[in-house]
Amino acid sequence: MVRAVIVFVLVAASQSAFAQFLFGPSERPTLAACMAIPENKAWIQTVTRQLRERAPKLDLGRGIVTVKFHVDFRGHVTRATFANSDNNARTLVAAGMITSLKLPPPPDDMDSGCRDFEQTFKFH
């Protein structure tokens, strides 16, 4: 019986290790870890610079819109979700800013988690 328990624990542990080998660690990398590689840092700075350049200049009243999005391996924005929005006009402006990004492809070895972004747009 003890051998069966030990074998079960070893098999369960090896499946977890195998899954981590296949899919990578389950934790999302921190911004500091993403920025530690110079090529990644330059690409992330390109994303933030383009977001800053596209800041809203319309008077749509006070409010905020938070956008979470992912950039795929070709530099295209995917999986955008919006939160904190109580106004469709502000949401449409934020969506336009995100979809208008003209990003170069990220570095080939960049972790997928480093291509996830969250941006909050404040309207005054």
Side-chain angles (χ1 to χ4, degrees), residues 40-83:
N40 293 359
K41 181 178 181 179
W43 186 81
I44 290 169
Q45 288 174 334
T46 299
V47 175
T48 56
R49 183 179 64 252
Q50 285 194 25
L51 286 169
R52 202 171 30 252
E53 290 169 355
R54 286 165 175 73
K57 296 179 179 39
L58 300 173
D59 183 14
L60 298 172
R62 291 173 106 23
I64 61 172
V65 176
T66 300
V67 183
K68 292 182 182 182
F69 64 97
H70 179 78
V71 179
D72 69 10
F73 66 94
R74 294 175 295 165
H76 299 152
V77 173
T78 61
R79 299 189 312 229
T81 59
F82 300 88

Short mmCIF file of all heavy atoms in Angstrom, two decimals, residues 40-83:
data_model
loop_
_atom_site.label_atom_id
_atom_site.label_comp_id
_atom_site.label_asym_id
_atom_site.label_seq_id
_atom_site.Cartn_x
_atom_site.Cartn_y
_atom_site.Cartn_z
N ASN A 40 13.16 43.26 -25.29
CA ASN A 40 11.79 43.32 -24.75
C ASN A 40 11.48 44.73 -24.25
O ASN A 40 10.39 45.25 -24.49
CB ASN A 40 11.61 42.33 -23.60
CG ASN A 40 11.67 40.89 -24.04
OD1 ASN A 40 11.83 40.59 -25.22
ND2 ASN A 40 11.56 39.99 -23.09
N LYS A 41 12.43 45.32 -23.55
CA LYS A 41 12.23 46.66 -22.99
C LYS A 41 11.96 47.66 -24.10
O LYS A 41 11.04 48.48 -24.01
CB LYS A 41 13.45 47.08 -22.17
CG LYS A 41 13.31 48.43 -21.53
CD LYS A 41 14.52 48.77 -20.69
CE LYS A 41 14.34 50.14 -20.04
NZ LYS A 41 15.50 50.47 -19.19
N ALA A 42 12.74 47.60 -25.18
CA ALA A 42 12.56 48.54 -26.29
C ALA A 42 11.18 48.35 -26.93
O ALA A 42 10.51 49.33 -27.27
CB ALA A 42 13.66 48.33 -27.33
N TRP A 43 10.74 47.11 -27.07
CA TRP A 43 9.44 46.85 -27.69
C TRP A 43 8.31 47.34 -26.78
O TRP A 43 7.35 47.97 -27.26
CB TRP A 43 9.29 45.36 -28.00
CG TRP A 43 8.04 45.07 -28.75
CD1 TRP A 43 7.83 45.21 -30.09
CD2 TRP A 43 6.81 44.61 -28.20
NE1 TRP A 43 6.54 44.87 -30.40
CE2 TRP A 43 5.89 44.50 -29.26
CE3 TRP A 43 6.39 44.29 -26.92
CZ2 TRP A 43 4.58 44.07 -29.09
CZ3 TRP A 43 5.08 43.85 -26.74
CH2 TRP A 43 4.20 43.75 -27.81
N ILE A 44 8.39 47.08 -25.49
CA ILE A 44 7.37 47.54 -24.53
C ILE A 44 7.32 49.07 -24.52
O ILE A 44 6.23 49.66 -24.46
CB ILE A 44 7.63 46.96 -23.13
CG1 ILE A 44 7.35 45.45 -23.14
CG2 ILE A 44 6.76 47.64 -22.07
CD1 ILE A 44 7.81 44.72 -21.89
N GLN A 45 8.46 49.72 -24.61
CA GLN A 45 8.48 51.18 -24.67
C GLN A 45 7.82 51.70 -25.94
O GLN A 45 7.18 52.75 -25.92
CB GLN A 45 9.92 51.69 -24.55
CG GLN A 45 10.48 51.53 -23.16
CD GLN A 45 11.95 51.89 -23.06
OE1 GLN A 45 12.69 51.81 -24.04
NE2 GLN A 45 12.38 52.26 -21.87
N THR A 46 7.93 50.96 -27.03
CA THR A 46 7.23 51.33 -28.27
C THR A 46 5.73 51.29 -28.06
O THR A 46 5.00 52.20 -28.48
CB THR A 46 7.63 50.38 -29.42
OG1 THR A 46 9.03 50.49 -29.63
CG2 THR A 46 6.88 50.70 -30.70
N VAL A 47 5.25 50.25 -27.38
CA VAL A 47 3.81 50.13 -27.10
C VAL A 47 3.34 51.30 -26.25
O VAL A 47 2.36 51.97 -26.57
CB VAL A 47 3.48 48.79 -26.40
CG1 VAL A 47 2.01 48.74 -26.00
CG2 VAL A 47 3.83 47.61 -27.30
N THR A 48 4.05 51.59 -25.17
CA THR A 48 3.62 52.67 -24.26
C THR A 48 3.72 54.03 -24.94
O THR A 48 2.87 54.89 -24.72
CB THR A 48 4.42 52.66 -22.95
OG1 THR A 48 5.82 52.74 -23.24
CG2 THR A 48 4.16 51.40 -22.15
N ARG A 49 4.72 54.24 -25.78
CA ARG A 49 4.85 55.52 -26.50
C ARG A 49 3.66 55.71 -27.45
O ARG A 49 3.06 56.78 -27.49
CB ARG A 49 6.16 55.58 -27.27
CG ARG A 49 6.37 56.92 -27.97
CD ARG A 49 7.69 57.02 -28.73
NE ARG A 49 7.74 56.06 -29.84
CZ ARG A 49 8.48 54.96 -29.86
NH1 ARG A 49 9.27 54.66 -28.84
NH2 ARG A 49 8.48 54.15 -30.89
N GLN A 50 3.28 54.66 -28.17
CA GLN A 50 2.14 54.78 -29.08
C GLN A 50 0.84 55.03 -28.32
O GLN A 50 -0.01 55.80 -28.76
CB GLN A 50 2.02 53.54 -29.96
CG GLN A 50 3.05 53.51 -31.06
CD GLN A 50 2.71 52.48 -32.11
OE1 GLN A 50 1.56 52.11 -32.31
NE2 GLN A 50 3.74 51.99 -32.80
N LEU A 51 0.68 54.40 -27.17
CA LEU A 51 -0.51 54.65 -26.36
C LEU A 51 -0.56 56.10 -25.90
O LEU A 51 -1.60 56.74 -25.93
CB LEU A 51 -0.56 53.71 -25.16
CG LEU A 51 -0.93 52.26 -25.46
CD1 LEU A 51 -0.68 51.39 -24.24
CD2 LEU A 51 -2.39 52.17 -25.89
N ARG A 52 0.57 56.62 -25.48
CA ARG A 52 0.64 58.01 -25.01
C ARG A 52 0.32 58.98 -26.16
O ARG A 52 -0.37 59.97 -25.98
CB ARG A 52 2.04 58.28 -24.44
CG ARG A 52 2.12 59.42 -23.50
CD ARG A 52 3.45 59.55 -22.78
NE ARG A 52 4.62 59.09 -23.48
CZ ARG A 52 5.31 57.98 -23.17
NH1 ARG A 52 4.95 57.22 -22.17
NH2 ARG A 52 6.38 57.63 -23.85
N GLU A 53 0.82 58.67 -27.37
CA GLU A 53 0.58 59.53 -28.53
C GLU A 53 -0.90 59.54 -28.92
O GLU A 53 -1.37 60.51 -29.52
CB GLU A 53 1.41 59.05 -29.72
CG GLU A 53 2.89 59.31 -29.56
CD GLU A 53 3.72 58.59 -30.63
OE1 GLU A 53 3.14 57.83 -31.45
OE2 GLU A 53 4.94 58.80 -30.65
N ARG A 54 -1.62 58.49 -28.60
CA ARG A 54 -3.02 58.38 -28.98
C ARG A 54 -3.98 58.77 -27.85
O ARG A 54 -5.15 58.45 -27.89
CB ARG A 54 -3.32 56.95 -29.43
CG ARG A 54 -2.74 56.67 -30.80
CD ARG A 54 -2.71 55.18 -31.08
NE ARG A 54 -2.27 54.89 -32.42
CZ ARG A 54 -1.04 55.00 -32.88
NH1 ARG A 54 -0.10 55.44 -32.08
NH2 ARG A 54 -0.73 54.70 -34.12
N ALA A 55 -3.47 59.47 -26.86
CA ALA A 55 -4.31 59.89 -25.73
C ALA A 55 -5.50 60.67 -26.25
O ALA A 55 -5.39 61.46 -27.18
CB ALA A 55 -3.49 60.73 -24.77
N PRO A 56 -6.67 60.46 -25.66
CA PRO A 56 -7.88 61.13 -26.15
C PRO A 56 -7.82 62.65 -25.99
O PRO A 56 -7.35 63.15 -24.98
CB PRO A 56 -8.99 60.54 -25.28
CG PRO A 56 -8.31 60.00 -24.08
CD PRO A 56 -6.92 59.63 -24.50
N LYS A 57 -8.28 63.34 -27.01
CA LYS A 57 -8.30 64.79 -26.98
C LYS A 57 -9.73 65.32 -27.12
O LYS A 57 -9.94 66.49 -27.37
CB LYS A 57 -7.40 65.33 -28.07
CG LYS A 57 -5.93 64.96 -27.85
CD LYS A 57 -5.06 65.47 -28.95
CE LYS A 57 -3.60 65.17 -28.78
NZ LYS A 57 -3.20 63.93 -28.27
N LEU A 58 -10.69 64.45 -26.98
CA LEU A 58 -12.10 64.84 -27.08
C LEU A 58 -12.68 65.12 -25.71
O LEU A 58 -12.28 64.50 -24.72
CB LEU A 58 -12.91 63.71 -27.74
CG LEU A 58 -12.49 63.30 -29.15
CD1 LEU A 58 -13.25 62.07 -29.58
CD2 LEU A 58 -12.71 64.44 -30.11
N ASP A 59 -13.63 66.02 -25.66
CA ASP A 59 -14.31 66.29 -24.40
C ASP A 59 -15.53 65.38 -24.32
O ASP A 59 -16.58 65.68 -24.89
CB ASP A 59 -14.72 67.76 -24.33
CG ASP A 59 -15.38 68.10 -23.00
OD1 ASP A 59 -15.29 67.28 -22.06
OD2 ASP A 59 -15.99 69.18 -22.90
N LEU A 60 -15.38 64.27 -23.63
CA LEU A 60 -16.46 63.29 -23.49
C LEU A 60 -16.96 63.21 -22.06
O LEU A 60 -17.57 62.23 -21.66
CB LEU A 60 -15.99 61.90 -23.96
CG LEU A 60 -15.57 61.82 -25.42
CD1 LEU A 60 -14.95 60.46 -25.71
CD2 LEU A 60 -16.75 62.08 -26.32
N GLY A 61 -16.67 64.24 -21.28
CA GLY A 61 -17.06 64.21 -19.88
C GLY A 61 -16.04 63.46 -19.05
O GLY A 61 -15.13 62.82 -19.56
N ARG A 62 -16.22 63.54 -17.74
CA ARG A 62 -15.29 62.88 -16.83
C ARG A 62 -15.59 61.39 -16.78
O ARG A 62 -16.74 60.98 -16.75
CB ARG A 62 -15.40 63.47 -15.43
CG ARG A 62 -14.87 64.91 -15.35
CD ARG A 62 -15.14 65.53 -14.01
NE ARG A 62 -14.13 65.73 -13.02
CZ ARG A 62 -12.82 65.84 -13.15
NH1 ARG A 62 -12.27 65.69 -14.29
NH2 ARG A 62 -12.04 66.10 -12.15
N GLY A 63 -14.54 60.60 -16.76
CA GLY A 63 -14.70 59.16 -16.65
C GLY A 63 -13.41 58.44 -16.99
O GLY A 63 -12.42 59.06 -17.39
N ILE A 64 -13.43 57.15 -16.78
CA ILE A 64 -12.26 56.33 -17.11
C ILE A 64 -12.71 55.08 -17.85
O ILE A 64 -13.85 54.63 -17.71
CB ILE A 64 -11.45 55.94 -15.85
CG1 ILE A 64 -12.30 55.11 -14.89
CG2 ILE A 64 -10.88 57.14 -15.16
CD1 ILE A 64 -11.51 54.53 -13.74
N VAL A 65 -11.81 54.55 -18.63
CA VAL A 65 -12.01 53.27 -19.30
C VAL A 65 -10.71 52.49 -19.13
O VAL A 65 -9.64 53.00 -19.44
CB VAL A 65 -12.32 53.44 -20.81
CG1 VAL A 65 -12.43 52.09 -21.49
CG2 VAL A 65 -13.58 54.25 -21.01
N THR A 66 -10.82 51.28 -18.65
CA THR A 66 -9.66 50.41 -18.51
C THR A 66 -9.74 49.34 -19.59
O THR A 66 -10.77 48.69 -19.75
CB THR A 66 -9.62 49.75 -17.12
OG1 THR A 66 -9.56 50.79 -16.14
CG2 THR A 66 -8.41 48.85 -16.97
N VAL A 67 -8.65 49.17 -20.31
CA VAL A 67 -8.59 48.20 -21.39
C VAL A 67 -7.48 47.20 -21.08
O VAL A 67 -6.35 47.59 -20.79
CB VAL A 67 -8.29 48.88 -22.75
CG1 VAL A 67 -8.30 47.86 -23.86
CG2 VAL A 67 -9.24 50.00 -23.01
N LYS A 68 -7.81 45.92 -21.14
CA LYS A 68 -6.81 44.87 -21.06
C LYS A 68 -6.72 44.25 -22.45
O LYS A 68 -7.75 43.95 -23.06
CB LYS A 68 -7.21 43.81 -20.04
CG LYS A 68 -7.18 44.30 -18.62
CD LYS A 68 -7.54 43.19 -17.67
CE LYS A 68 -7.56 43.70 -16.24
NZ LYS A 68 -7.86 42.65 -15.28
N PHE A 69 -5.50 44.10 -22.93
CA PHE A 69 -5.35 43.53 -24.26
C PHE A 69 -4.05 42.75 -24.37
O PHE A 69 -3.14 42.87 -23.55
CB PHE A 69 -5.44 44.62 -25.34
CG PHE A 69 -4.34 45.66 -25.29
CD1 PHE A 69 -3.22 45.55 -26.09
CD2 PHE A 69 -4.46 46.75 -24.44
CE1 PHE A 69 -2.22 46.51 -26.04
CE2 PHE A 69 -3.47 47.73 -24.39
CZ PHE A 69 -2.35 47.61 -25.20
N HIS A 70 -3.99 41.93 -25.40
CA HIS A 70 -2.83 41.10 -25.68
C HIS A 70 -2.33 41.45 -27.07
O HIS A 70 -3.12 41.77 -27.96
CB HIS A 70 -3.22 39.61 -25.61
CG HIS A 70 -2.10 38.68 -25.90
ND1 HIS A 70 -1.13 38.38 -24.98
CD2 HIS A 70 -1.79 37.99 -27.02
CE1 HIS A 70 -0.27 37.53 -25.52
NE2 HIS A 70 -0.64 37.28 -26.76
N VAL A 71 -1.04 41.38 -27.29
CA VAL A 71 -0.46 41.59 -28.60
C VAL A 71 0.11 40.26 -29.07
O VAL A 71 0.90 39.63 -28.36
CB VAL A 71 0.65 42.67 -28.56
CG1 VAL A 71 1.25 42.87 -29.94
CG2 VAL A 71 0.09 43.98 -28.03
N ASP A 72 -0.33 39.81 -30.26
CA ASP A 72 0.13 38.50 -30.74
C ASP A 72 1.53 38.59 -31.32
O ASP A 72 2.16 39.66 -31.33
CB ASP A 72 -0.88 37.91 -31.73
CG ASP A 72 -0.96 38.66 -33.05
OD1 ASP A 72 -0.11 39.54 -33.33
OD2 ASP A 72 -1.88 38.35 -33.83
N PHE A 73 2.03 37.47 -31.84
CA PHE A 73 3.40 37.40 -32.32
C PHE A 73 3.62 38.22 -33.59
O PHE A 73 4.75 38.44 -33.99
CB PHE A 73 3.81 35.94 -32.56
CG PHE A 73 3.05 35.28 -33.66
CD1 PHE A 73 3.54 35.24 -34.95
CD2 PHE A 73 1.81 34.69 -33.42
CE1 PHE A 73 2.84 34.64 -35.97
CE2 PHE A 73 1.10 34.08 -34.43
CZ PHE A 73 1.62 34.07 -35.71
N ARG A 74 2.54 38.71 -34.22
CA ARG A 74 2.68 39.55 -35.42
C ARG A 74 2.60 41.04 -35.09
O ARG A 74 2.75 41.87 -35.96
CB ARG A 74 1.59 39.20 -36.44
CG ARG A 74 1.75 37.78 -36.98
CD ARG A 74 0.61 37.42 -37.88
NE ARG A 74 -0.59 37.38 -37.04
CZ ARG A 74 -1.82 37.38 -37.50
NH1 ARG A 74 -2.06 37.43 -38.78
NH2 ARG A 74 -2.85 37.32 -36.67
N GLY A 75 2.29 41.38 -33.83
CA GLY A 75 2.16 42.77 -33.43
C GLY A 75 0.74 43.28 -33.50
O GLY A 75 0.51 44.48 -33.40
N HIS A 76 -0.24 42.38 -33.65
CA HIS A 76 -1.65 42.77 -33.71
C HIS A 76 -2.30 42.66 -32.34
O HIS A 76 -2.05 41.70 -31.61
CB HIS A 76 -2.41 41.89 -34.71
CG HIS A 76 -1.89 42.00 -36.10
ND1 HIS A 76 -1.99 40.99 -37.01
CD2 HIS A 76 -1.26 43.02 -36.74
CE1 HIS A 76 -1.46 41.35 -38.15
NE2 HIS A 76 -1.00 42.59 -38.01
N VAL A 77 -3.16 43.60 -32.02
CA VAL A 77 -3.89 43.59 -30.75
C VAL A 77 -4.98 42.53 -30.81
O VAL A 77 -5.75 42.48 -31.77
CB VAL A 77 -4.50 44.98 -30.45
CG1 VAL A 77 -5.39 44.92 -29.22
CG2 VAL A 77 -3.39 46.00 -30.26
N THR A 78 -5.04 41.69 -29.79
CA THR A 78 -6.07 40.66 -29.69
C THR A 78 -6.62 40.65 -28.26
O THR A 78 -6.05 41.26 -27.37
CB THR A 78 -5.53 39.26 -30.02
OG1 THR A 78 -4.50 38.93 -29.08
CG2 THR A 78 -4.95 39.19 -31.42
N ARG A 79 -7.71 39.98 -28.07
CA ARG A 79 -8.32 39.75 -26.75
C ARG A 79 -8.47 41.03 -25.93
O ARG A 79 -8.09 41.08 -24.77
CB ARG A 79 -7.52 38.72 -25.96
CG ARG A 79 -7.46 37.37 -26.59
CD ARG A 79 -6.85 36.34 -25.69
NE ARG A 79 -5.62 36.73 -25.04
CZ ARG A 79 -4.53 36.03 -25.02
NH1 ARG A 79 -4.49 34.86 -25.60
NH2 ARG A 79 -3.48 36.45 -24.37
N ALA A 80 -9.05 42.04 -26.50
CA ALA A 80 -9.28 43.29 -25.75
C ALA A 80 -10.55 43.18 -24.93
O ALA A 80 -11.58 42.72 -25.41
CB ALA A 80 -9.37 44.47 -26.71
N THR A 81 -10.46 43.59 -23.66
CA THR A 81 -11.64 43.65 -22.79
C THR A 81 -11.66 45.03 -22.14
O THR A 81 -10.62 45.61 -21.86
CB THR A 81 -11.62 42.56 -21.70
OG1 THR A 81 -10.43 42.71 -20.91
CG2 THR A 81 -11.65 41.17 -22.30
N PHE A 82 -12.86 45.53 -21.91
CA PHE A 82 -13.04 46.88 -21.38
C PHE A 82 -13.72 46.80 -20.03
O PHE A 82 -14.62 46.00 -19.82
CB PHE A 82 -13.87 47.73 -22.34
CG PHE A 82 -13.24 47.86 -23.69
CD1 PHE A 82 -13.47 46.92 -24.68
CD2 PHE A 82 -12.40 48.91 -23.96
CE1 PHE A 82 -12.87 47.02 -25.92
CE2 PHE A 82 -11.80 49.03 -25.21
CZ PHE A 82 -12.03 48.08 -26.18
N ALA A 83 -13.31 47.69 -19.12
CA ALA A 83 -13.90 47.74 -17.78
C ALA A 83 -14.00 49.20 -17.34
O ALA A 83 -13.40 50.08 -17.94
CB ALA A 83 -13.04 46.94 -16.79
#
